[in-house]
């Protein structure tokens, strides 16, 4: 059976970073939950596409002072694997 090139068995985000998302806007929470679902099935392709959407959405909330820059950076480090 041929391996799906759009799937991986490696983690797609940094699970070691603990972050309570309950205080974030609803659309950010929904995007994070979707990313975590993509991670469960190893769908890196759709994960990457949705992460870009999460990054843009979160940045707009920082600009409007709805979330802190610290929250934004944590999102990037946890879900974007920025080191």
């Amino acid at each position: 059976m041929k391996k799906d090139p759009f799937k991986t068995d490696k983690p797609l985000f940094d699970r070691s970073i603990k972050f309570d998302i309950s205080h974030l806007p609803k659309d950010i929470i929904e995007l994070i939950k979707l990313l975590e679902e993509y991670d469960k099935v190893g769908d890196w392709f759709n994960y990457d596409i949705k992460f870009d959407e999460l990054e843009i959405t979160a940045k707009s909330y920082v600009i409007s002072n709805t979330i802190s820059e610290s929250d934004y950076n944590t999102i990037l480090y946890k879900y974007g694997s920025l080191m």
Side-chain angles (χ1 to χ4, degrees), residues 23-81:
H23 67 283
L24 297 174
K26 182 180 175 184
D27 53 344
I28 291 181
I29 292 171
E30 289 172 358
L31 285 167
I32 287 172
K33 288 182 179 181
L34 185 57
L35 289 177
E36 291 177 356
E37 288 300 314
Y38 287 141
D39 173 71
K40 286 180 187 174
V41 296
D43 185 348
W44 66 264
F45 183 78
N46 284 305
Y47 184 99
D48 284 355
I49 292 169
K50 279 298 175 184
F51 174 75
D52 290 343
E53 185 179 339
L54 173 62
E55 183 179 15
I56 291 165
T57 302
K59 185 64 174 179
S60 70
Y61 279 117
V62 171
I63 291 168
S64 68
N65 291 317
T66 304
I67 68 170
S68 70
E69 192 154 345
S70 175
D71 285 341
Y72 173 73
N73 288 331
T74 302
I75 290 168
L76 294 186
Y77 283 105
K78 181 172 179 77
Y79 295 98
S81 299

